[in-house]
Amino acid sequence: AQSVAQPEDQVNVAEGNPLTVKCTYSVSGNPYLFWYVQYPNRGLQFLLKYITGDNLVKGSYGFEAEFNKSQTSFHLKKPSALVSDSALYFCAVRDGNGGFKTIFGAGTRLFVKA
Amino acid sequence: NAGVTQTPKFQVLKTGQSMTLQCAQDMNHEYMSWYRQDPGMGLRLIHYSVGAGITDQGEVPNGYNVSRSTTEDFPLRLLSAAPSQTSVYFCASSEPGQGDEKLFFGSGTQLSVL
């Protein structure tokens, strides 16, 4: 069975500072990893994915994430946070070896203070 | 370009009532799924389908039924609503294995069971 852990319920950063939202995963096959964002009173939007290739993947709105196979992690990062980045962030995993289910973590709420 | 359409957006039920949440997509995606979102618990997979006539259980299937008679539609049925089913429900679709692995989400249905 696959699972995702987001160890922080909430992350607080000051605008302009770098941000990291942590994610670790467990899957039996090759991991397909995703980050999604949910802004207040809105649906879920795709940010970025890792399927294969470079461990550092870049996505929307200046976000990037680093795949670390040995640590089974896929942390979301941004060099300089904006107040508008404040939202709920979800990490998700799918088993790339023929699996179809995408399992999500519990989410991390990001607050960026001006 | 409609994408994934969910109806209704809001619903209030009494305990024991039944209802169907509708989900339709116009992207010819084979994979469709239902999630529920609860505070602190993230998105939990209820049921999913990999094509017409094929459905399977997710993480929290009890109390819900699904069917997939067409590629476009994937309704979720609550047979006898319970207060524990108060949640926000999201339908999602994707086309795994075609290079675009991300999930496309509907706008959600907010369900309250009294």
Side-chain angles (χ1 to χ4, degrees), chain B residues 1-107:
Chain B
N1 202 4
V4 179
T5 302
Q6 288 184 238
T7 56
K9 292 189 183 301
F10 302 94
Q11 183 70 49
V12 179
L13 293 178
K14 295 181 179 179
T15 296
Q17 287 184 315
S18 63
M19 79 158 295
T20 299
L21 278 63
Q22 302 291 344
C23 176
Q25 52 92 8
D26 62 359
M27 296 172 283
N28 203 32
H29 285 167
E30 290 295 329
Y31 178 85
M32 296 185 74
S33 53
W34 278 102
Y35 291 87
R36 58 176 289 172
Q37 182 179 11
D38 303 290
M41 306 201 70
L43 291 157
R44 291 182 291 170
L45 182 64
I46 304 171
H47 285 284
Y48 66 101
S49 168
V50 298
I54 306 169
T55 64
D56 206 346
Q57 296 181 348
E59 301 170 280
V60 289
N62 292 341
Y64 306 95
N65 275 2
V66 292
S67 61
R68 185 94 179 271
S69 57
T70 67
T71 298
E72 294 78 18
D73 301 298
F74 191 45
L76 178 72
R77 298 183 186 85
L78 282 68
L79 305 176
S80 179
S84 62
Q85 294 178 306
T86 293
S87 187
V88 180
Y89 292 84
F90 288 99
C91 179
S93 73
S94 71
E95 192 58 37
Q98 300 298 318
D100 194 356
E101 304 284 345
K102 67 185 180 188
L103 289 170
F104 293 80
F105 283 90
S107 58

